């Protein structure tokens, strides 16, 4: 997790404000990790996954996130789900976006207007890197075939949230709809909020082109999807911003 706060001048007061804001955001992510991480044997999420704690007896925040994940499962016709193939509950696909949302509310509460939050590749912004101007924050989309190169530098204007999902970094960790490997190795979604961007990026990897079409039609998102052969599918927002994407998408 990284936080950038834009300032015209960097006084000691600005440095102190950045340190305070970073501490607030880190506290939110740490608290949620302690509860929801399946890599922590003693976390509440691990206890639920092992069947030691019934979901009905879990904390309110656990049940609330499960309800939200269930709503997304219905909305995406099962392309996004919080249940692993072994039926164990796994909310990791929604927790990071939830943490980013909570962090954004906290930053707004302490009066920050121009900032960029990067949580493991999921980007949420407010304002501008040049306060008082219309210059947008730029979010880089890494080429899954060459991790040192970018496919696009997408300007986060009307859509302030961007999330990327796929197998390029973490392997085949997303459960696909039907059998066989996923159509896309990487999907990037820009949306009005980070939860929509994060969930739909995962759902499109799982559901392929039909889910991509549904996401664009239903939620009005912009999508850049990389097929296994390296060809791209790019919606107009991404095609307008990167000639490379437009050429590859044909």
């Amino acid at each position: 997790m990284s936080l950038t706060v834009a300032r015209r001048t960097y006084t000691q007061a600005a440095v102190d404000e950045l340190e305070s804001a970073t501490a607030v955001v880190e506290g939110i992510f740490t608290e949620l990790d302690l509860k929801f991480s399946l890599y922590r044997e003693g976390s509440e999420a691990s206890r639920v996954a092992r069947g030691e704690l019934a979901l009905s007896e879990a904390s309110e925040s656990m049940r609330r996130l499960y309800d939200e994940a269930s709503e997304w499962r219905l909305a995406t016709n099962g392309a996004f789900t919080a249940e692993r193939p072994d039926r164990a509950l796994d909310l990791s696909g929604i927790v990071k976006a939830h943490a980013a949302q909570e962090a954004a509310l906290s930053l707004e509460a302490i009066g920050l207007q121009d900032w960029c939050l990067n949580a493991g590749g999921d980007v949420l912004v407010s304002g501008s890197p040049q306060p008082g101007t219309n210059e947008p924050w730029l979010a880089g989309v890494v080429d899954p075939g060459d991790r040192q190169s970018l496919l696009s530098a997408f300007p986060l204007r009307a859509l302030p949230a961007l999330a990327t999902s796929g197998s390029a970094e973490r392997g085949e960790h997303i459960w696909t709809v039907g059998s066989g490997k996923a159509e896309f190795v990487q999907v990037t979604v820009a949306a009005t909020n980070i939860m929509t961007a994060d969930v739909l990026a995962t759902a499109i990897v799982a559901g392929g082109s039909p889910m991509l079409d549904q996401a664009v039609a239903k939620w009005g998102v912009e999508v850049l999807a990389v097929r296994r052969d390296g060809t791209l599918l790019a919606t107009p927002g991404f095609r307008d911003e990167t000639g490379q994407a437009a050429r590859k998408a044909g």
Side-chain angles (χ1 to χ4, degrees):
M1 184 279 298
S2 64
L3 174 67
T4 301
V5 178
R7 284 287 182 269
R8 285 187 178 274
T9 58
Y10 285 88
T11 62
Q12 184 58 48
V15 172
D16 292 343
E17 184 179 61
L18 174 59
E19 291 178 348
S20 176
T22 300
V24 168
V25 173
E26 287 179 344
I28 291 171
F29 275 81
T30 297
E31 180 181 354
L32 288 171
D33 182 67
L34 290 172
K35 175 173 288 190
F36 290 100
S37 174
L38 291 176
Y39 295 101
R40 296 179 180 274
E41 185 176 347
S43 71
E44 185 178 2
S46 292
R47 293 174 60 208
V48 171
R50 290 194 301 265
E52 298 173 3
L53 177 66
L55 183 61
S56 60
E57 298 176 355
S59 64
E60 180 182 355
S61 59
M62 179 72 67
R63 289 182 278 112
R64 185 170 64 251
L65 274 186
Y66 172 77
D67 289 342
E68 187 168 1
S70 298
E71 291 173 0
W72 277 111
R73 179 176 185 172
L74 291 174
T76 61
N77 299 318
F80 178 87
T81 178
E83 292 185 351
R84 300 188 309 214
D86 62 4
R87 308 297 292 174
L89 180 64
D90 184 352
L91 292 170
S92 58
I94 202 170
V95 169
K96 185 168 60 174
H98 173 70
Q101 288 181 158
E102 292 296 306
L105 291 174
S106 295
L107 293 174
E108 292 171 1
I110 62 178
L112 293 182
Q113 297 180 342
D114 301 285
W115 48 263
C116 174
L117 177 64
N118 187 327
D122 290 359
V123 181
L124 180 62
V125 306
S126 175
S128 168
Q130 296 295 327
T133 73
N134 292 323
E135 181 178 344
W137 293 96
L138 295 177
V141 180
V142 174
D143 185 341
D146 179 4
R147 308 303 292 173
Q148 303 303 312
S149 301
L150 293 179
L151 291 176
S152 171
F154 189 81
L156 298 173
R157 292 189 178 94
L159 303 177
L162 181 142
T164 297
S165 187
S167 59
E169 288 192 358
R170 295 176 55 195
E172 303 288 348
H173 68 287
I174 297 174
W175 318 306
T176 58
V177 176
S179 58
K181 290 186 176 181
E183 176 184 355
F184 302 119
V185 295
Q186 180 174 288
V187 172
T188 298
V189 174
T192 56
N193 64 80
I194 193 63
M195 184 64 75
T196 298
D198 200 15
V199 167
L200 292 183
T202 299
I204 293 170
V205 173
S209 294
M211 186 63 233
L212 189 159
D213 293 340
Q214 180 187 348
V216 173
K218 187 173 182 178
W219 287 279
V221 296
E222 298 288 352
V223 181
L224 179 60
V226 185
R227 286 197 172 106
R228 290 187 174 275
D229 64 2
T231 59
L232 306 183
L233 288 181
T235 55
F238 274 100
R239 290 199 298 270
D240 291 345
E241 300 300 342
T242 166
Q244 182 179 13
R247 288 194 298 273
K248 285 193 175 182

